[in-house]
């Protein structure tokens, strides 16, 4: 319940992007809901309960440090919220030691698009009918633009041979939470215009 209150507060105050809210809700559904602490009153949760949970998550190297930090950060946010609203006297999450936990080594995969692959793709795109999609892919493969920035290009963004990226289009869902019924509602995805990164 407190977790959903925390997410609701973040939505109401516009603290985080919809993508972050979706990640928070996914953590609740896929991680925290299955833990013993989900059935406890927050005031009854002790440091040892959290420590045991951390040890279960990591085990002999079950997850990498990144998902662990994401989970711990969300939990820290919930406990900060709970302390600020006087559900608990203080937030102890940050004081729990994690140095002895064993993490899985991340797989370091080079996700870069190799030059040979890029050249082959560009060659193929030249051989087919040119439309907005082929031009967008060619522009993306020949630049450092993000897809949302390409989607947002307007004629007025071009002055001679200079293109200025002024905005991006991002597809998002909007969430609302009914804390009384403990229900999350997700509106259909829509496109928002935002400043570029």
């Amino acid at each position: 319940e407190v977790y959903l209150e925390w997410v609701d507060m973040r939505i109401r105050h516009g603290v985080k992007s919809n993508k972050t809210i979706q990640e928070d809700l996914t953590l609740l559904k896929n991680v925290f809901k299955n833990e013993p602490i989900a059935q406890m009153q927050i005031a009854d949760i002790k440091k040892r309960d959290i420590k045991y949970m951390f040890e279960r998550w990591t085990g002999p190297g079950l997850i990498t440090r990144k998902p662990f930090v994401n989970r711990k950060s969300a939990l820290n946010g919930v406990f900060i919220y709970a302390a600020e609203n006087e559900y608990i006297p203080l937030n102890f999450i940050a004081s729990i030691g994690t140095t002895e936990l064993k993490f899985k080594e991340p797989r370091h995969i080079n996700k870069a698009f190799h030059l040979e692959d890029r050249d082959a793709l560009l060659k193929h795109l030249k051989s087919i009918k040119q439309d907005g999609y082929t031009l967008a892919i060619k522009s993306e493969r020949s630049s450092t633009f993000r897809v949302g920035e390409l989607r947002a290009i307007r004629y007025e963004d071009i002055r001679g041979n200079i293109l200025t990226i002024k905005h991006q289009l991002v597809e998002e869902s909007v969430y609302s939470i009914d804390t009384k019924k403990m229900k999350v509602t997700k509106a259909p995805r829509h496109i928002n215009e935002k400043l570029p990164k």
Side-chain angles (χ1 to χ4, degrees):
E1 293 169 354
V2 177
Y3 193 101
L4 282 180
E5 282 184 32
W6 169 69
V7 174
D8 182 53
M9 176 272 301
R10 286 157 59 94
I11 292 170
R12 285 183 289 106
H13 292 126
V15 174
K16 295 292 177 182
S17 71
N18 288 332
K19 181 176 181 274
T20 303
I21 297 299
Q22 182 176 356
E23 290 166 359
D24 292 340
L25 292 170
T26 300
L27 279 176
L28 176 61
K29 179 181 173 189
N30 297 336
V31 177
F32 295 115
K33 207 169 193 178
N34 302 320
E35 291 294 338
I37 64 167
Q39 305 307 317
M40 299 170 70
Q41 293 295 316
I42 195 160
D44 296 335
I45 298 172
K46 306 286 186 241
K47 268 184 163 182
R48 68 176 174 268
D49 299 317
I50 302 299
K51 182 70 173 186
Y52 293 154
M53 184 173 66
F54 288 175
E55 290 169 354
R56 278 193 309 280
W57 288 347
T58 57
L62 298 174
I63 63 174
T64 62
R65 186 175 298 276
K66 187 177 188 305
F68 174 79
V69 168
N70 290 344
R71 294 172 185 188
K72 185 178 177 190
S73 294
L75 201 59
N76 190 48
V78 171
F79 274 70
I80 288 171
Y81 172 83
E84 288 173 348
N85 286 280
E86 299 180 355
Y87 297 154
I88 57 176
L90 64 114
N91 170 24
F92 54 76
I93 300 297
S95 69
I96 298 173
T98 58
T99 55
E100 74 288 349
L101 297 176
K102 183 170 175 47
F103 296 100
K104 180 179 180 181
E105 285 297 317
R107 289 180 40 205
H108 296 287
I109 299 171
N110 185 353
K111 295 181 183 176
F113 209 83
H114 297 285
L115 286 176
E116 301 82 33
D117 297 330
R118 175 187 166 272
D119 292 341
L121 176 62
L122 291 173
K123 183 179 177 184
H124 171 71
L125 290 173
K126 281 183 185 176
S127 72
I128 61 175
K129 182 179 179 244
Q130 300 299 293
D131 60 14
Y133 292 108
T134 57
L135 293 173
I137 294 168
K138 285 164 51 176
S139 296
E140 192 271 334
R141 289 288 104 193
S142 302
S143 68
T144 58
F145 300 141
R146 296 168 181 268
V147 173
E149 294 167 347
L150 280 172
R151 291 174 66 193
I153 292 174
R154 298 179 184 150
Y155 285 110
E156 58 265 22
D157 297 336
I158 302 168
R159 297 262 192 254
N161 288 330
I162 297 172
L163 168 64
T164 305
I165 299 298
K166 297 178 182 176
H167 32 256
Q168 65 175 330
L169 297 178
V170 180
E171 195 172 335
E172 296 179 313
S173 290
V174 175
Y175 295 89
S176 61
I177 298 177
D178 183 336
T179 53
K180 289 183 175 45
K181 294 181 181 176
M182 302 309 297
K183 184 175 178 183
V184 177
T185 305
K186 178 180 173 183
R189 294 176 72 81
H190 64 282
I191 295 175
N192 280 341
E193 185 174 314
K194 296 186 170 190
L195 293 172
K197 291 204 172 187

